[in-house]
Amino acid sequence: MKNKDIIKILSNSVSYMELHGENDFKIKSYTNAIYNLERTDVKLGILGLADLEKIEGVGKSIAAAIHEINTTGKYSKLDELVNQTPGGLRQLMKLRGLGAKKLKVLWSEAGIETIEALENAIEGGELTKLKGFGAKTVDNISELIAFARETKGWVHYAVAETIANELKSEVESKLSDAKVEFAGKLRRKWEVINHLEFVISCTSFDKIDSTLAQFGNIRKLPERSGPFTWRGETMDEDAVEVVFHYSSPEKFNNTFFLKTGSPLHLSQPINGKNLIEIAKTNLFDSEEAIYNTLGLAYCEPELREGTWELEKAQTNNLPKLVEYSDLKGVLHNHSTYSDGENTLEEMVAKCKEMGLTYLGISDHSKAAHFYANGMFEDRVKQQHEEIDELNKKMAPFKIFKGIEADILPDGALDYDPQTLESFDFVVASVHSGLSMDENKATQRLLAAIANPYTTILGHMTGRLLLMRKGYPVNHKAIIDACAEYGVIIEINAHPKRLDIDWRWVHYALEKGVLISINPDAHAIDGFKDMYYGVCVGRKGGLTKEKTLNAWSLEEVDQYFKQRKDRIKT
């Protein structure tokens, strides 16, 4: 088991211990152990009990807990506490920003066990009577509840795609004569999905219905289903809607087309007609034929949002979208030098296995020392010496010396100019002081963009999809500044970030800004997240030519050197 998974189980255990009022000394010992484990280079999953006990800050009881997690994949103490917790409270535990200590007060002193009860207490003014629940705290809790309501039933695209692929495979295995494909937002690869939509054709609709009834992971909602549509939901705590649109085999392409595009894409008038009218008038043997009927070039599914794509389709000027296979290297990654799980050598080996030719390492800077083991200057020097040795050993593969430098509250970058100059590239990101209004956030980012050492702007809004909203920014002002100063914008490809939002990628490209698809990987398994960044880039019209890490090693090397030369002059 990976370190991050072990630490997550221990952290969840601490939260439930706090909720149930366990011994403060025990909670503190777990918290201290977690702090040390987050900073260790040791791979916990391969250690025996005796070796676990030798780790600094890890006593016998916590070593035994880790050993149990390694052996069984779970922790009985956590399972016991979860089982003792009412279901509504478990949902409240998911509200990011409402800590276990405050939740314990709500539970023990006000008897609150559900989101509904919490809302009623807020509306009745009861919460402000509790110690530690001032007006500002209550307002924050109200925002958390509103956000939870907004995001209920939504899942990250990575989760949705996994579930949808499993359902598709199951249908195909049980119905040999069926044809089934993704549709809707799922096929258009939205960053979050609120229903898994499919189009399915078969010789008998009754046969489809009876087959879906056999699935153990979804259930039908008869009151919402109809003669041509099966509606249901996944059978888990965070249920997601599932929709199957029935189609006869001969109408499959038409139905597939109509159930993929957004209403705006399908309804826009083109020479007095629209795509809906065309697709409902005749039978077509392909989606391309539907577009061709109106003199349009074929629009890739990701583009079908009704924003700018049809205008370009009319002049046959649609971009050739970047492919995952175009990527040549991986930038913005974290190693054991900060809070990553893998050594530099392990990361290089994985990159080479994937057919990549370069790695950009960008561990956290010193301002992040207390929460991400950020590197002080001596540690930077040590890493650079190791990189020099590895580059000799691993040539022609190359490791670029990078850093994810914290953007400080005044917009300055972490480190002095001399240290910043030692890197091949600098990813500038905000990690602290996230509670900003639009003007403050924008000015902070603009100052960082104007810094000559900033190469790439990292996760522009700091958002965590379905977990927290990003700080508000003036996207146009930031993109315009990146164009002015030649700063690359990152698509942070982590499935929970996907930031910059795809809705702004096209504007950035129009302004001539380069994009880098970065996984922000903290383990080698994270490299594959670049796939989700490609999905986001494609939605914005991103091409291979405008994607930094689709460039060859020689091109990227030259680009970084030219930027550094400009700083010196």
Side-chain angles (χ1 to χ4, degrees):
M1 186 170 280
K2 296 178 183 176
N3 283 20
K4 67 177 182 179
D5 298 320
I6 294 169
I7 291 168
K8 183 177 180 180
I9 291 173
L10 294 176
S11 298
N12 286 341
S13 299
V14 170
S15 295
Y16 275 94
M17 286 177 190
E18 289 176 335
L19 179 65
H20 287 272
E22 295 239 352
N23 181 281
D24 285 342
F25 177 79
K26 184 176 183 179
I27 291 172
K28 188 175 181 181
S29 68
Y30 269 74
T31 303
N32 290 338
I34 290 167
Y35 177 85
N36 287 314
L37 293 173
E38 287 174 334
R39 284 152 183 79
T40 185
D41 295 345
V42 177
K43 292 186 177 174
L44 304 174
I46 62 173
L47 297 183
L49 182 58
D51 289 327
L52 288 168
E53 291 176 357
K54 294 176 185 176
I55 299 175
E56 182 182 355
V58 176
K60 288 189 175 182
S61 62
I62 297 172
I66 297 171
H67 183 65
E68 182 187 343
I69 294 167
N70 282 337
T71 306
T72 67
K74 55 185 181 179
Y75 183 30
S76 56
K77 177 64 178 177
L78 175 59
D79 292 343
E80 177 188 329
L81 291 172
V82 169
N83 290 334
Q84 293 172 7
T85 307
L89 269 179
R90 293 201 297 271
Q91 289 297 316
L92 285 170
M93 291 281 283
K94 294 179 182 180
L95 291 181
R96 190 180 180 91
L98 181 59
K101 290 180 180 178
K102 278 199 166 13
L103 196 51
K104 180 179 181 295
V105 174
L106 294 173
W107 187 23
S108 60
E109 296 186 23
I112 292 172
E113 295 185 359
T114 64
I115 288 180
E116 292 75 16
L118 182 55
E119 285 180 305
N120 291 336
I122 292 172
E123 291 173 7
E126 298 167 28
L127 243 57
T128 52
K129 299 173 186 176
L130 299 174
K131 186 178 179 180
F133 287 83
K136 186 175 181 181
T137 298
V138 173
D139 286 344
N140 287 340
I141 292 173
S142 294
E143 290 180 12
L144 291 174
I145 293 172
F147 187 63
R149 295 287 190 204
E150 288 174 23
T151 57
K152 184 176 174 58
W154 291 77
V155 293
H156 299 106
Y157 176 77
V159 174
E161 186 185 49
T162 299
I163 298 171
N165 275 321
E166 290 171 356
L167 288 173
K168 184 175 184 288
S169 295
E170 193 168 1
V171 169
E172 290 171 337
S173 68
K174 287 183 166 60
L175 283 173
S176 58
D177 62 338
K179 183 175 183 180
V180 58
E181 298 290 354
F182 295 172
K185 292 173 185 170
L186 184 65
R187 189 177 179 215
R188 300 203 308 275
K189 294 184 171 64
W190 270 43
E191 67 276 27
V192 289
I193 303 291
N194 64 337
H195 56 269
L196 310 178
E197 198 167 356
F198 303 84
V199 174
I200 183 170
S201 71
C202 188
T203 52
S204 166
F205 292 169
D206 288 340
K207 191 175 178 182
I208 297 173
D209 195 72
S210 62
T211 300
L212 293 176
Q214 301 170 26
F215 286 27
N217 51 350
I218 55 174
R219 61 184 166 215
K220 185 176 182 179
L221 299 175
E223 69 280 5
R224 300 189 57 200
S225 299
F228 302 107
T229 305
W230 186 102
R231 291 184 183 272
E233 60 185 10
T234 57
M235 295 173 64
D236 49 44
E237 195 170 42
D238 299 312
V240 183
E241 185 178 0
V242 180
V243 182
F244 283 91
H245 300 287
Y246 298 168
S247 170
S248 60
E250 64 272 13
K251 291 184 178 179
F252 184 87
N253 290 318
N254 294 60
T255 306
F256 186 36
F257 177 79
L258 290 169
K259 297 302 182 182
T260 292
S262 73
L264 280 174
H265 178 82
L266 296 171
S267 64
Q268 281 188 29
I270 309 290
N271 299 324
K273 296 183 178 180
N274 62 44
L275 290 164
I276 296 175
E277 293 168 344
I278 297 298
K280 286 186 174 181
T281 303
N282 301 298
L283 294 179
F284 293 90
D285 58 8
S286 69
E287 292 184 304
E288 288 88 342
I290 299 173
Y291 285 109
N292 291 342
T293 300
L294 284 180
L296 300 171
Y298 174 74
C299 293
E300 295 286 353
E302 296 96 321
L303 294 179
R304 302 179 199 177
E305 298 293 346
T307 50
W308 52 269
E309 74 280 1
L310 287 178
E311 182 180 342
K312 291 192 177 292
Q314 289 181 70
T315 57
N316 199 26
N317 196 31
L318 284 168
K320 186 178 186 304
L321 302 181
V322 65
E323 303 276 357
Y324 182 74
S325 59
D326 291 329
L327 303 184
K328 302 290 192 299
V330 54
L331 303 168
H332 189 170
N333 309 284
H334 300 270
S335 73
T336 51
Y337 274 92
S338 66
D339 59 342
E341 288 188 14
N342 295 98
T343 65
L344 291 175
E345 196 157 359
E346 288 170 338
M347 296 172 81
V348 171
K350 183 63 177 179
C351 285
K352 293 174 79 171
E353 179 189 316
M354 295 172 65
L356 302 174
T357 57
Y358 53 90
L359 165 72
I361 193 65
S362 47
D363 279 307
H364 286 287
S365 63
K366 63 183 180 180
H369 180 70
F370 291 105
Y371 57 86
N373 198 27
M375 299 191 299
F376 287 96
E377 286 82 354
D378 60 335
R379 188 87 161 137
V380 171
K381 184 179 178 183
Q382 180 186 347
Q383 185 184 67
H384 286 184
E385 289 172 353
E386 183 181 352
I387 289 173
D388 288 338
E389 289 301 313
L390 285 173
N391 277 337
K392 292 176 186 176
K393 178 181 175 182
M394 301 291 186
F397 189 94
K398 181 166 184 174
I399 305 173
F400 288 106
K401 300 170 184 173
I403 194 73
E404 186 176 18
D406 268 33
I407 299 174
L408 304 177
D410 63 354
L413 297 187
D414 210 4
Y415 297 130
D416 56 41
Q418 183 179 357
T419 305
L420 290 170
E421 191 177 341
S422 70
F423 299 105
D424 295 316
F425 71 102
V426 173
V427 178
S429 306
V430 172
H431 290 108
S432 60
L434 305 182
S435 298
M436 301 177 284
D437 60 27
E438 182 177 310
N439 181 63
K440 185 175 181 180
T442 301
Q443 293 306 313
R444 185 175 175 181
L445 291 179
L446 290 177
I449 291 165
N451 190 306
Y453 292 101
T454 298
T455 317
I456 300 173
L457 178 63
H459 44 73
M460 185 186 290
T461 72
R463 74 183 185 184
L464 288 175
L465 294 165
L466 306 181
M467 298 169 72
R468 73 173 182 224
K469 293 182 178 180
Y471 37 82
V473 297
N474 183 326
H475 280 83
K476 281 192 175 182
I478 291 169
I479 292 168
D480 290 349
C482 286
E484 179 182 353
Y485 291 101
V487 170
I488 299 156
I489 292 178
E490 167 184 272
I491 292 177
N492 190 294
H494 192 288
K496 293 182 180 178
R497 286 193 184 273
L498 299 180
D499 186 13
I500 182 175
D501 190 287
W502 59 264
R503 294 160 185 82
W504 287 100
V505 170
H506 184 67
Y507 180 76
L509 295 173
E510 284 188 321
K511 290 293 179 177
V513 176
L514 282 175
I515 301 293
S516 186
I517 297 174
N518 297 338
D520 199 354
H522 287 68
I524 55 176
D525 285 350
F527 292 161
K528 68 180 184 301
D529 287 344
M530 289 192 292
Y531 162 75
Y532 304 111
V534 169
C535 295
V536 166
R538 286 172 63 87
K539 288 191 71 60
L542 182 60
T543 64
K544 173 183 176 180
E545 292 72 24
K546 298 296 289 185
T547 305
L548 177 70
N549 57 313
W551 293 6
S552 70
L553 167 59
E554 293 73 24
E555 289 170 324
V556 172
D557 194 17
Q558 184 180 22
Y559 179 84
F560 286 159
K561 286 176 180 176
Q562 287 176 344
R563 280 191 62 88
K564 291 187 72 172
D565 288 342
R566 286 202 298 271
I567 295 172
K568 293 174 184 177
T569 57

